[in-house]
Amino acid sequence: MKYASINGTIIEHDKASLHISDLGLRRGYAVFEFFRVLRGVPVFLEDHLERFERSARLLELTPPFGREKLEALIRELIELNDLREAGLQMLLTGGYSPDAFTPGPPNLIIAPIAVTPPPAHLYQQGGKVILHKNLRELPEAKTTDYLIAVKLAKRMRAEGATEVIYHDGETVYEGGRSSLLIVQQGTLVTAQAGVLPGITRKHLLEVARSILPIQERPITLSELYSADEVLLTGATRQVMPITQIEDKMVADGKVGPYSQQLMKAFQEHLEAYLNRRAVLR
C-alpha cells in the first residue's frame, strides 16, 4: 500500500499520521466505514457513503467533504495504489482536542487495507460462532468501539470460531463484525432495531425476497439455538453459513438448502454489480 489520504491530501502510506491529541485516539470518538475493492471496483460504495454520513450525524461529526469529493478521493486512491482486490477504510475522528474531551474539527483518513478472505471450507462446511453477553453503545452507528470483539479474538481463535454473536440474555443482535440472519420454518429472519444496518445484509435481503419470506424483527436466544439455518453477512465474509453455535450444531450440522441458494444468489448479484460498475469506469 503506497498512498493514503488525510483530510483530502494524498500522502505516502508509511508517513500518514495524526497528532496524539485526536479524540479518536484519546476517547475512541470516531466512526468509520470499510468496504471491499474487487477488480478495482469499490463494492456497494454508494451504500457505504450513505451509512458513513449517517454514522457521522449520530456522533455529531461533520465530514470535511461532501459525497462527490469523498468518492473522487476513494477512486484516486484505488488508481494510485493500483488496487484490484483489497479493502478501503474511511475513518472520521473527533479531531484535535486541547482538553482531551471536547471535539474539534474532524480528521478524515482514507487508507487501503490488505484483505484475506475467509477460507473456502467455511462456506462448504459452515463456520462456528461463540456467544457473548454485550450491548453495543449507539449500535446504529459504525463507531470504532470494537473493544469486546478485539478482546474475544483470542478466545475465538482458540475455539476455532469465526465470529462472536452478541446477546442480552434473551435477544440476539449481531456479530462483532457481521450481521446475523436465521432461517426458521422457511422464513428468513433478521433484527431490525438495535443493530448496525449491514450493507451486505441489505443486498442479501434484496435477492432473498424471490427465494423465501423475510421477517425483520427481534430474534430470541432460543430461536437462534433452534434455527434451521444460520447466516452471517459482512463486507469481507460476504454471506457465510454457520453450522455450530458454541458446542451445539445447527440442525444437522450441514450447510442448509436455503443457505446454498442465498449464497449463490448473492454471488450472482455481486457479479452483476461489478460488471455494471466496470462498464461505467
Side-chain angles (χ1 to χ4, degrees), residues 12-48:
E12 290 183 38
H13 187 276
D14 292 344
K15 295 180 180 179
S17 63
L18 293 179
H19 192 268
I20 59 172
S21 64
D22 192 278
L23 278 187
L25 171 65
R26 290 296 182 92
R27 304 290 182 183
Y29 198 76
V31 298
F32 79 102
E33 274 297 322
F34 171 82
F35 50 88
R36 293 287 300 278
V37 176
L38 296 174
R39 301 180 205 161
V41 176
V43 177
F44 307 142
L45 178 60
E46 55 281 359
D47 295 302
H48 285 284

Side-chain angles (χ1 to χ4, degrees), residues 1-169:
M1 305 304 178
K2 297 179 180 178
Y3 300 101
S5 171
I6 296 183
N7 296 326
T9 299
I10 302 296
I11 188 170
E12 290 183 38
H13 187 276
D14 292 344
K15 295 180 180 179
S17 63
L18 293 179
H19 192 268
I20 59 172
S21 64
D22 192 278
L23 278 187
L25 171 65
R26 290 296 182 92
R27 304 290 182 183
Y29 198 76
V31 298
F32 79 102
E33 274 297 322
F34 171 82
F35 50 88
R36 293 287 300 278
V37 176
L38 296 174
R39 301 180 205 161
V41 176
V43 177
F44 307 142
L45 178 60
E46 55 281 359
D47 295 302
H48 285 284
L49 289 175
E50 181 179 343
R51 188 173 66 179
F52 182 68
E53 292 171 350
R54 184 168 60 247
S55 295
R57 286 195 300 271
L58 287 171
L59 263 67
E60 300 182 353
L61 297 174
T62 302
F65 310 111
R67 192 177 299 189
E68 185 175 333
K69 174 66 172 179
L70 289 174
E71 183 171 345
L73 285 169
I74 288 165
R75 296 191 183 281
E76 183 178 9
L77 283 174
I78 290 173
E79 292 298 326
L80 287 173
N81 288 290
D82 192 24
L83 299 181
R84 299 300 298 165
E85 293 198 11
L88 270 177
Q89 186 183 62
M90 303 170 58
L91 178 67
L92 187 69
T93 76
Y96 300 144
S97 175
D99 61 2
F101 194 82
T102 305
N107 286 308
L108 173 67
I109 301 169
I110 308 176
I113 298 177
V115 174
T116 302
H121 72 84
L122 291 178
Y123 299 90
Q124 299 159 357
Q125 303 168 15
K128 173 185 176 180
V129 297
I130 59 173
L131 302 178
H132 187 79
K133 193 171 183 180
N134 177 53
L135 290 178
R136 293 197 308 114
E137 287 191 87
L138 279 179
E140 295 83 4
K142 193 170 180 66
T143 72
T144 55
D145 180 8
Y146 276 59
L147 175 67
I148 299 300
V150 172
K151 178 184 176 184
L152 290 174
K154 182 178 179 180
R155 178 189 161 197
M156 284 193 290
R157 288 192 295 270
E159 297 186 22
T162 185
E163 180 63 297
V164 54
I165 301 298
Y166 296 146
H167 67 95
D168 64 6

Side-chain angles (χ1 to χ4, degrees), residues 1 22 26 36 39 105 198 203 217 219 228 231 248:
M1 305 304 178
D22 192 278
R26 290 296 182 92
R36 293 287 300 278
R39 301 180 205 161
H203 284 266
R217 61 165 178 80
I219 301 172
D228 298 320
L231 291 160
K248 184 182 182 302

Side-chain angles (χ1 to χ4, degrees), residues 201-239:
R201 184 185 70 163
K202 172 187 174 181
H203 284 266
L204 177 63
L205 292 178
E206 287 180 14
V207 301
R209 297 188 192 284
S210 63
I211 297 174
L212 74 174
I214 296 170
Q215 291 182 3
E216 294 185 67
R217 61 165 178 80
I219 301 172
T220 66
L221 200 52
S222 61
E223 283 181 312
L224 176 65
Y225 274 117
S226 64
D228 298 320
E229 302 178 40
V230 177
L231 291 160
L232 297 180
T233 60
T236 300
R237 73 179 75 240
Q238 297 184 352
V239 181

